[in-house]
């Protein structure tokens, strides 16, 4: 699980290096508002010969935000309180959203190359960056082995125990087996970034076809999407596109877009 809410301010520049090659870059200042980051080093379940279950956990949850987590005497999470006082007035909301205590840097980089008058290639890396979280910190660490012995459904069937109380007892057993500690250690998160490759072929002056490959890296996960498109451009007044995309192991994604210019305004659909 990885959640982050941040703002970015960027400055971009592009330049024709040669008649056929153009490069561009955008440098960004990132300011984090809130984040939840779970670093899962190990989480495994083993079924033993006596049918008990051994759960091994080595996890760290880092939180930056207006929350307070309280542990009981056994270092088990007792309450999670949200500090809603920061949203009681417009000024406090603005102050919270304009928080500058968590800063980071990022950049985008791209290039476009015209092989011929009709064929254009492009490549880019986007949203590459990080944020250092230093404000409103809470860290929870779970590092323990749990032996869960299960429960007997016959007690529920006979009416001696309700299923709700049985489920609650199971959850309490699991929660109490985790020994947790809290501190306020700063942490760093990297943004999911994307790598794009594209090609565009002009069939006529107003008709072109395109191919775009987009790869998104989210931690150790890789997500791939490929789009084929046909594009119609009539002067600078009207354009249309029809696209087909394969993504997330699905191949039934069809898209369409229209744009036209009306005076000083441009409308997209």
């Amino acid at each position: 699980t990885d959640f982050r809410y941040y703002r970015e301010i960027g400055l971009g520049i592009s330049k024709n290096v040669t008649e056929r090659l153009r490069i561009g870059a955008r440098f960004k200042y990132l300011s984090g508002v809130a984040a939840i980051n779970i670093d899962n080093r190990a989480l495994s379940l083993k079924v033993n010969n006596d049918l008990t279950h051994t759960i091994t956990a080595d996890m760290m949850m880092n939180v930056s935000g207006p929350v307070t987590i309280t542990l009981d005497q056994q270092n088990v999470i007792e309450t999670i309180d949200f500090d809603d006082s920061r949203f009681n007035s417009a000024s406090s909301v603005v102050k919270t959203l304009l928080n500058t205590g968590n800063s980071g840097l990022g950049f985008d980089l791209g290039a476009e190359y015209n092989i011929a008058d009709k064929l254009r290639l492009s490549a880019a890396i986007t949203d590459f960056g990080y944020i250092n979280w230093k404000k409103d910190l809470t860290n929870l660490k779970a590092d323990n082995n749990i032996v869960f012995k299960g429960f007997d459904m016959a007690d529920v069937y006979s009416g001696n125990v309700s299923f709700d109380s049985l489920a609650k007892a199971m959850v309490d057993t699991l929660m109490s087996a985790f020994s947790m500690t809290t501190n306020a250690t700063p942490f760093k998160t990297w943004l999911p970034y994307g790598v794009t490759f594209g090609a565009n072929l002009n069939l006529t002056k107003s008709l072109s076809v395109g191919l775009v490959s987009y790869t998104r890296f989210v931690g150790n996960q890789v997500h791939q999407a490929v789009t084929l498109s046909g594009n119609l451009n009539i002067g600078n007044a009207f354009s249309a596109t029809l696209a087909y995309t394969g993504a997330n192991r699905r191949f039934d994604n069809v898209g369409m877009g229209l744009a036209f210019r009306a005076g000083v305004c441009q409308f997209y659909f």
Side-chain angles (χ1 to χ4, degrees), residues 19-37:
E19 290 185 356
R20 296 185 179 273
L21 176 63
R22 184 176 184 86
I23 62 174
R26 180 185 295 113
F27 301 95
K28 299 181 287 190
Y29 169 76
L30 308 177
S31 181
V33 179
I36 299 175
N37 172 255

Side-chain angles (χ1 to χ4, degrees), residues 2 11-12 53 55 76 113 116 118 130 150 156-157 176 182 201 203 209 212 229-231 236 242 250 253 261:
D2 207 1
L11 177 64
H53 296 64
I55 303 174
V76 178
Y113 186 74
K118 292 186 177 182
Y130 67 90
V156 178
Y157 180 76
S176 62
T182 60
L201 178 63
L203 302 178
V209 293
V212 175
S229 66
N231 311 286
N236 63 355
L242 184 65
R250 292 190 63 122
N253 308 294
R261 185 175 180 180

Side-chain angles (χ1 to χ4, degrees), residues 23-24 39 46 49 55 57 73 79-80 87 111 134 172-173 180 196 211 221 231 236 240 245 247 260 262 268:
I23 62 174
D39 182 10
K46 178 184 177 182
N49 292 332
I55 303 174
Q73 294 180 351
T79 59
I80 300 177
F87 301 91
K134 300 179 179 180
D172 291 342
T173 300
M180 294 189 173
T196 306
L211 170 67
Q221 300 180 5
N231 311 286
N236 63 355
T245 299
F260 63 90
Y268 298 89

Side-chain angles (χ1 to χ4, degrees), residues 39-58:
D39 182 10
N40 181 11
R41 300 182 182 92
L43 183 62
S44 63
L45 172 66
K46 178 184 177 182
V47 181
N48 305 312
N49 292 332
D50 59 356
L51 299 184
T52 61
H53 296 64
T54 300
I55 303 174
T56 302
D58 184 4

Side-chain angles (χ1 to χ4, degrees), residues 58-164:
D58 184 4
M59 305 174 65
M60 174 72 78
M61 183 173 72
N62 301 303
V63 180
S64 175
V67 296
T68 301
I69 299 178
T70 304
L71 304 182
D72 60 17
Q73 294 180 351
Q74 286 75 38
N75 290 328
V76 178
I77 296 178
E78 188 173 44
T79 59
I80 300 177
D81 298 318
F82 180 77
D83 184 9
D84 54 3
S85 64
R86 301 192 185 187
F87 301 91
N88 288 339
S89 63
S91 60
S92 60
V93 171
V94 171
K95 183 179 179 180
T96 300
L97 298 182
L98 295 183
N99 168 34
T100 58
N102 308 308
S103 60
L105 297 174
F107 71 87
D108 304 330
L109 182 65
E112 185 180 75
Y113 186 74
N114 293 320
I115 295 181
D117 293 337
K118 292 186 177 182
L119 179 60
R120 185 171 70 250
L121 302 179
S122 61
I125 179 172
T126 53
D127 292 328
F128 191 86
Y130 67 90
I131 299 176
N132 287 317
W133 301 90
K134 300 179 179 180
K135 188 175 181 180
D136 294 332
L137 297 174
T138 301
N139 313 97
L140 296 177
K141 183 178 182 180
D143 186 4
N144 209 342
N145 291 327
I146 307 163
V147 178
F148 179 61
K149 298 181 179 180
F151 49 84
D152 192 348
M153 288 299 294
D155 294 334
V156 178
Y157 180 76
S158 63
N160 295 328
V161 179
S162 69
F163 184 81
D164 290 342

Side-chain angles (χ1 to χ4, degrees), residues 170-184:
M170 180 181 67
V171 173
D172 291 342
T173 300
L174 295 176
M175 288 297 297
S176 62
F178 280 87
S179 177
M180 294 189 173
T181 60
T182 60
N183 48 48

